[in-house]
Amino acid sequence: MAYQQYMQKERHRPPSKGFQCREDIEKEDHLTSVIFKCNLPHQQQHVVEFNCREPSCGALEGEEEGAVLSEDDYAVDPNFFDEGYSMAGSTGFKVWTGSRLLIEALTWPQDTDCDRLKEIQECVKNVGGTRIIELGAGVGVVGTYLSAVGSQVLLTDLTTLVENAIDTNLERNERILSNMPIDDDNDKSCPSWLVNGQRIGKGWADATPLDWTKPISEQLTDEQASIDFIIASDVVFLASMMKSLFDTVEALFQTSKGNKPSFILSFQKRDAQDGTDSVAFTTVDGVLAAVKERGWTIECLAWRTVAVKREDETGSVKDDTSEVFVFEIKDDTSSS
């Protein structure tokens, strides 16, 4: 199991003190939604929140309050027949484990963080100076959070997710953070590369559909495809998704060569308990092999052990643990 070499003791990251998440239930027009909430760094009074269709999976820790839905609260998926939509796409309407660690690692500094992670943290909070594109944004938790602390973020996903989750959640957070103080008086106008950008806290965010199976040149402008960081969280749990994801990342590497962007990926280990490869689910070693095959480099910035539920061979669900990683992937094969 090659991934174990990336579980360095010094890269293990405990939960950030002061960072809290919770879930509430919201009912409107006979529809039940889960509202996932988390506070911004060192600002308990400023909270970002996201309308989800289901309770989160692995994103709450300790005694944090989660939402519990009854069978009557679950509705038939209204987007089931949307073009390009799939059961894999439907998982984007909830928050997953990797989103939490990615947010903490990038925006809640700890003294024990490695030097490279500290560099990235400084970039992320550089108000108006860092351009990020998020792949597979889901309901928009990570990208919205990064924009709230100062980044410029273009959130992307399937059309169904953009229109039915991300757009409404950006509007929601633009409204609830409208009174948040802005430090930089020179950052009052929306950056041109975010065509319909919205002010989210200290930064800006926009959303657009992006299909990983189609050329990015047909979907993004040259300006949109030239960025500083690519981020993604919990997007390749199915092995069938990895090639198209990495094809898209490679295309962004090529269009942004002058910036030399890196790809920040959070990923939960879903390997079989006996360590064997899974046909359906992407393994950590599978990610490492795919990165190596393309000639890229990969470094673990942070990892954490989290509680999970597993179904054994008898069908019983039991408490277990798993690891979540934040990797930085780079293409160092070409010059700037």
Side-chain angles (χ1 to χ4, degrees), residues 148-178:
V149 300
S151 294
Q152 302 173 15
V153 187
L154 180 62
L155 294 82
T156 70
D157 210 312
L158 299 173
T159 300
T160 297
L161 270 300
V162 171
E163 294 180 349
N164 295 280
I166 300 174
D167 281 346
T168 54
N169 281 327
L170 287 180
E171 293 173 0
R172 186 184 193 107
N173 286 288
E174 180 184 38
R175 182 178 67 255
I176 64 177
L177 295 179
S178 60

Side-chain angles (χ1 to χ4, degrees), residues 161-332:
L161 270 300
V162 171
E163 294 180 349
N164 295 280
I166 300 174
D167 281 346
T168 54
N169 281 327
L170 287 180
E171 293 173 0
R172 186 184 193 107
N173 286 288
E174 180 184 38
R175 182 178 67 255
I176 64 177
L177 295 179
S178 60
N179 294 324
M180 184 174 170
I182 307 301
D183 300 328
D184 191 346
D185 292 333
N186 297 320
D187 188 40
K188 297 297 186 182
S189 59
C190 177
S192 61
W193 77 287
L194 299 178
V195 181
N196 297 304
Q198 296 168 267
R199 166 68 80 178
I200 308 292
K202 296 182 178 181
W204 295 88
D206 192 10
T208 190
L210 186 66
D211 186 335
W212 300 346
T213 66
K214 297 178 181 178
I216 63 169
S217 59
E218 298 176 2
Q219 305 176 81
L220 302 176
T221 66
D222 291 344
E223 194 177 13
Q224 287 174 325
S226 180
I227 35 73
D228 300 302
F229 292 99
I230 308 159
I231 62 169
S233 176
D234 301 301
V235 295
V236 284
F237 61 95
L238 292 179
S240 59
M241 302 167 67
M242 188 156 56
K243 182 182 184 302
S244 57
L245 170 68
F246 279 10
D247 284 346
T248 301
V249 171
E250 186 168 18
L252 289 167
F253 279 162
Q254 293 172 353
T255 58
S256 298
K257 282 183 178 178
N259 295 349
K260 297 293 288 184
S262 62
F263 176 35
I264 311 298
L265 172 70
S266 69
F267 183 79
Q268 179 184 338
K269 182 173 76 70
R270 292 183 173 86
D271 303 36
Q273 287 180 296
D274 60 4
T276 59
D277 289 339
S278 168
V279 175
F281 295 107
T282 306
T283 63
V284 184
D285 283 351
V287 172
L288 299 177
V291 169
K292 182 178 180 181
E293 183 179 349
R294 292 181 187 251
W296 299 341
T297 61
I298 184 168
E299 178 184 4
C300 178
L301 300 175
W303 67 278
R304 177 182 300 168
T305 301
V306 295
V308 297
K309 300 286 187 181
R310 290 191 191 274
E311 184 175 321
D312 63 20
E313 60 276 3
T314 67
S316 300
V317 177
K318 297 182 178 180
D319 293 332
D320 202 348
T321 60
S322 182
E323 290 76 41
V324 182
F325 298 85
V326 173
F327 293 118
E328 181 179 30
I329 299 169
K330 293 182 178 180
D331 177 12
D332 293 327

